[in-house]
Amino acid sequence: MIPFLSWYVLISLLGWLTFPLVYRLFPALADRGYSLARAAGLLIWGYAFWMLASLGLAQNDLSGLLLGLLVLVSLSAWALVSRQSSMQNQQSEIMAWLRANLRVIFTVEVLFLLAFGFLALVRAANPEILGTEKPMELMFINSILRSPAFPPQDAWLSGYAISYYYFGYVMTAMLARVTAVPGSLAFNLMISLVFALGAVGAYGILYNLLSAILPSIANRQSSIVNRKSEILNWLYALLGPMFLLLVSNIEGFLEILHSHGIFWTQNADGQYTSRFWTWLDLKDLNLPPPQPFAWAPERHGWWWRASRVVQDYDLLHNFQEIIDEFPFFSFVLGDLHPHVLAIPFSLLAVAAALNLYLGGWRGQINAFGARLHLNLEGFFSIALLLGGLAFLNTWDILVAAALIVGAYVLARVREHGWTWQRLEDAALLGIPAGVLGILLYFPFYFSFSSQAGGPMPNLINPTRGAHMWLMYSSLLLPLFVFLFYLCYRTRPRWRPALIVTVALPLGLWAFSWLLALVEQWRDPAFASQYLQSQGALSAALFFSEASLLRLRSIGGLLTLLALLGPALALLLTTANREVPGGGQPSTVNRQPPTPNLHPPTFNLQPPTAFVLMLIILGTLLVLAPEFVYLRDQFGTRMNTVFKFYYQAWMLWSLAAAFGVAVLLQELRGRADWAFRIFLVLLLFTSLAYPVLSVGTKTNHFKPFFGMTLNDFDRVRRETPDEAAALDFLAAAPEGVLAEAAVIGGSYTGYGRMATYTGLPTVIGWPGHESQWRGGYEPQGSRLADLETLYTTPSRETAQAIIEKYDVRYVVVGGLERSTYPVEEGKFASFLRVAFQQGDITIYEVPQHE
């Protein structure tokens, strides 16, 4: 409880320290950024500390952290000195806002505490940092805690800095150092904190979207009705965190049906068969359920299947794994991966885009004859945020940039209509902000390399409609109902929208085949080998088979186009009829808009138009991997689908929550009752997974070895000798480790000493190091040298390898002995036994003063 409370108090104080700054930076938001203050404070504090340490102006210690915090406090103090008023007046204005918004403040605080406590409880019942890439993430945290300076050392490749987007792990290490908790405890606290920050961030975004409706309501309804709408918005904003963090795909509901034997029939010979489950084609679920039937899934690891519902096959029907995570799966898994760490800051980007769209950051920047209708503090905020997202999870920067630039363009459209000048507006913001975002984080790029390459064509792996709906029906159904309602209430511009909707997939399809022709020209031998692997005797036959496969699996594409078309039509509408969710931009503390000299051609006012942009952007993210993916070492679209689908879930979940909130307030009579019944059924199917998976993962909150947030308690219990060795190394002087490693050691216990101590080892997980650095060249002969070090009886040979990698500690334990035929006698002849307990010995190279 003490570490949990220390993190809660620290992050809450950080939010209050940051609030004066976000109050100034988000003038168009109804909550003035209060729900986002913690995330904003963590981003700015983390950036200041990291940059100061990277430039050598601060140390990676508590004093450096306090210096970075001083930068944040100084910015908040600056925010209190407004251009329009004195500090005293600004403080009075903030206090007046706080008194007038106690309901929102109370809700945010209670929601944050409940969300933080809920996931901490889940992790305490299941704290293991085992499997998937959890050891990698713990290694990053401990590497940063152990590194004397930045860039931090890579504990799995001695002599090298981390080559990964590691900003989220810097933030984790910061909080761990201030609260004096070990990395193995900070890991579980951080994932709980991310869940809580995501909850209040989603609440704040939906509250701000719904509050933007109130000005129009006030113009046509009584004050009593307006007051009721304000209270409903405050409550309905809770749909934001629910749809983002709790609502899941319907695989959990299908598990219930499968466990009950529904859609299975028994033949005369006693065998169970099912046309439905065979057609659906999900691994494990296409097999008969165990007998007797049960009310809930009992298959070991059943909950994992929810992240693998999209099934890809090549033309010979060979299976290709696809990852399709969604937020709740990430949290029940407990994987502190960058795409999870970035959630609160991606929501911060959504809030920044909404603030910009609603009229915040009004001003003017003139440079090189161009005019950007934005003030300097808004421009620098955007650049800092975009650069931070690239450092947190590089995949997120394009989505955030498109969202922010799109919001700026739509704000310009509201004032001056759709013209070709809007393309110039997009370039004037997007290019300079992107360049500045890179410059603000330039030390990161010096040590960063990646396996990611250019676009590759996806010719044979369209997503089936059944799998698309299995993955996204929890969000697609409310989105389609909302779009239908909007189309019913207005007159969308169907013609240009349909042209774009038809032309876009055709263009992407042609582009994918053009990429294929380019690849064939670049590497004819590889192209010929690929055709043979698909059983195609010629390129023409391959084209025919691939096209037929796409037509047979066109349901997913048609679903996306059915969503894209109405959203585009509504966004482009010139109808004059009133649209639900209209309203006008907030005018709190901002300059009056530029006079409109020409009648605008855009009538969908905030927040509906902004939500339509979220829908469109999410649709494009899911549409892109239908035709192209980013080149990497996996050679398939697996990673692209993983990252793009995850980002689409975030955007669609916010849009779905808004649509449900609007429909709950707008619908009347039978339509209202029908929608509420539909919503109950939807939530029943989409919340089945979180309810069942939490029970499975926590053993119904009855863990076998007690509740704890520190994974190292497990290590002490299961391997006390190795735990003692880890304690010794954690307190030992700096030095390079030698421990066992093999080429297939990823996702295993290899590299465990470096993982838990942060001391660099010669090589940890070779496959992952190859992914991070674009190849195996930096590793050189390390694997072979380690094997020689342990197996040679020659003292001279072993000593040469130790000197080559500047090894200080040589670990000889159970893992080393099971990996190599260890010749341990040579170590005793020239090394000092620094630690010995049970079957583990740590030898230390004598140090010369």
Side-chain angles (χ1 to χ4, degrees), residues 188-205:
N188 286 314
L189 283 171
M190 188 63 181
I191 198 166
S192 305
L193 177 61
V194 169
F195 184 83
L197 292 175
V200 294
Y203 176 86
I205 289 170

Side-chain angles (χ1 to χ4, degrees), residues 663-726:
L663 291 172
L664 287 173
Q665 295 190 68
E666 295 278 347
L667 293 177
R668 298 291 182 270
R670 293 180 179 177
D672 183 35
W673 279 105
F675 180 72
R676 290 174 187 269
I677 294 172
F678 156 79
L679 184 60
V680 169
L681 295 175
L682 177 76
L683 293 179
F684 175 76
T685 58
S686 59
L687 293 178
Y689 178 82
V691 171
L692 295 176
S693 61
V694 166
T696 298
K697 285 285 285 178
T698 63
N699 193 34
H700 303 285
F701 293 98
K702 298 175 183 178
F704 297 109
F705 301 103
M707 303 283 283
T708 178
L709 281 167
N710 192 349
D711 171 65
F712 200 66
D713 293 340
R714 174 192 59 82
V715 179
R716 292 187 193 279
R717 182 175 60 246
E718 295 179 353
T719 54
D721 294 339
E722 288 218 344
L726 290 169

Side-chain angles (χ1 to χ4, degrees), residues 60 142-154 177 734 758:
N60 181 20
N142 285 326
S143 291
I144 294 167
L145 284 170
R146 193 81 187 229
S147 296
F150 283 173
Q153 61 193 7
D154 184 344
R177 192 182 298 279
E734 293 296 318

Side-chain angles (χ1 to χ4, degrees), residues 377-513:
E377 60 192 52
F379 178 73
F380 277 100
S381 298
I382 290 170
L384 183 70
L385 182 55
L386 291 179
L389 280 171
F391 194 3
L392 276 156
N393 186 38
T394 305
W395 292 82
D396 285 355
I397 186 172
L398 291 179
V399 180
L403 187 61
I404 291 173
V405 171
Y408 174 69
V409 170
L410 288 182
R412 297 284 294 151
V413 166
R414 287 174 51 220
E415 298 175 0
H416 301 286
W418 289 104
T419 69
W420 290 109
Q421 192 177 355
R422 302 292 78 83
L423 294 178
E424 179 183 342
D425 290 333
L428 286 176
L429 175 58
I431 295 175
V435 170
L436 181 59
I438 293 174
L439 292 177
L440 287 173
Y441 293 83
F442 74 91
F444 160 63
Y445 297 98
F446 285 159
S447 59
F448 179 70
S449 59
S450 174
Q451 61 169 325
M456 290 289 290
N458 172 25
L459 306 176
I460 60 172
N461 291 128
T463 302
R464 286 180 55 197
H467 296 157
M468 181 75 70
W469 280 92
L470 176 55
M471 175 66 189
Y472 284 120
S473 61
S474 306
L475 307 179
L476 288 175
L477 286 172
L479 288 178
F480 275 119
V481 173
F482 181 53
L483 290 175
F484 175 80
Y485 179 68
L486 291 179
C487 290
Y488 174 77
R489 290 290 301 271
T490 190
R491 296 178 181 176
R493 291 187 61 187
W494 288 111
R495 183 175 179 181
L498 291 177
I499 292 174
V500 173
T501 302
V502 173
L504 182 61
L506 290 176
L508 288 171
W509 176 77
F511 178 66
S512 68
W513 284 101

